[in-house]
Amino acid sequence: LQDRLGNIWFGTTGQGVYRYDGKLFYNYTVKEGLSSNSVWSILEDKVGNIWFGTGDGICRYDGKNIIPISTPFSTRPFVSSSYYSSQSTKNTVWSMLQDKSGKIWFGTGDGVYCYNGFNFTRFLNNDGVINKESLHLKMVDCIKEDKNGNIWFASGMPPGMEGVVRYDGKSIISAKPNGDSWIRLIVEDKKGNLWFGGRIHGNFIYDGNSFKIFTEKVG
């Protein structure tokens, strides 16, 4: 992540997070307040706070201190311990997004959570969300808001494997255009097309109406 001051932040899988100011690297670990030295996602919010999604929850850096932010356990449904693995604990925060309204979305091993600045809610606990496919949104690698305000979730490794999921403000639906259920990346280009990186079967693009697949066979 490059923040508004020009610092570049790097998350690692065991050495915490590094900040590069153009001249020097600074390392932040559990000694400086991180809840885990595995940092999977980084976000700068609208007021300049830096959020870290770690292997053990969420932390926020206000420019001086790193503070763990607890997600209330009461928002979590009971899930058997056999669901989780060493690679995907329920506290792992794989992805983050702040949408146009200011709400922050967190893709965790325990599902997607939302933060409105005061409280956390579990997204799928909202009775207003239509979920006809019974999607669980566990292990979301990437979250993206498109120009029309739709929220896209890229599903990750097992027990994710739901392809891409779109939330239009009312309902969530999934798609696996190239047969790939594990999606690593979502990028929106200048024309508003969404590009998806499939882990196994190649990449595909959504133009607002339909998906088109790009593989080695088509160059």
Side-chain angles (χ1 to χ4, degrees):
L1 169 81
Q2 184 172 24
D3 67 26
R4 64 183 64 188
L5 300 177
N7 297 296
I8 302 178
W9 296 85
F10 302 86
T12 76
T13 57
Q15 296 180 355
V17 65
Y18 287 86
R19 176 173 63 89
Y20 179 62
D21 65 2
K23 295 181 180 180
L24 298 174
F25 283 91
Y26 301 86
N27 183 217
Y28 303 85
T29 67
V30 292
K31 294 180 180 179
E32 285 71 41
L34 284 176
S35 53
S36 167
N37 282 334
S38 294
V39 178
W40 295 99
S41 53
I42 308 174
L43 170 75
E44 183 179 23
D45 66 23
K46 295 181 185 295
V47 296
N49 295 309
I50 309 294
W51 296 72
F52 305 112
T54 80
D56 189 21
I58 305 159
C59 297
R60 184 174 63 201
Y61 176 64
D62 62 6
K64 295 182 179 180
N65 300 303
I66 298 175
I67 303 170
I69 306 295
S70 61
T71 304
F73 188 80
S74 60
T75 66
R76 296 174 177 166
F78 173 78
V79 181
S80 66
S81 59
S82 62
Y83 163 81
Y84 301 106
S85 70
S86 59
Q87 290 182 303
S88 182
T89 68
K90 69 180 179 181
N91 292 329
T92 304
V93 182
W94 299 100
S95 55
M96 296 184 285
L97 164 78
Q98 186 168 34
D99 66 21
K100 296 172 184 176
S101 71
K103 181 190 298 182
I104 302 179
W105 301 70
F106 302 91
T108 80
D110 193 38
V112 171
Y113 288 81
C114 299
Y115 179 66
N116 63 4
F118 302 98
N119 302 302
F120 283 91
T121 56
R122 196 167 190 273
F123 173 59
L124 290 182
N125 282 9
N126 184 346
D127 293 335
V129 178
I130 301 171
N131 184 12
K132 293 183 178 179
E133 299 174 56
S134 298
L135 301 170
H136 52 66
L137 293 180
K138 295 181 187 294
M139 182 53 226
V140 172
D141 263 352
C142 184
I143 311 174
K144 182 74 176 178
E145 182 179 24
D146 68 22
K147 64 177 183 179
N148 297 316
N150 297 301
I151 306 293
W152 295 80
F153 305 98
S155 194
M157 64 183 177
M161 306 299 285
E162 292 180 330
V164 295
V165 178
R166 184 183 66 184
Y167 174 56
D168 62 4
K170 296 181 179 179
S171 60
I172 57 174
I173 57 172
S174 67
K176 302 174 184 177
N178 63 348
D180 204 338
S181 56
W182 183 347
I183 309 300
R184 299 298 297 269
L185 186 66
I186 310 174
V187 175
E188 185 174 23
D189 66 24
K190 294 179 181 179
K191 296 180 180 179
N193 300 309
L194 291 175
W195 293 77
F196 300 87
R199 185 172 186 270
I200 299 173
H201 301 301
N203 306 308
F204 52 95
I205 182 173
Y206 180 71
D207 63 6
N209 297 304
S210 61
F211 290 95
K212 181 179 180 181
I213 300 171
F214 289 86
T215 65
E216 292 176 0
K217 293 180 180 180
V218 295

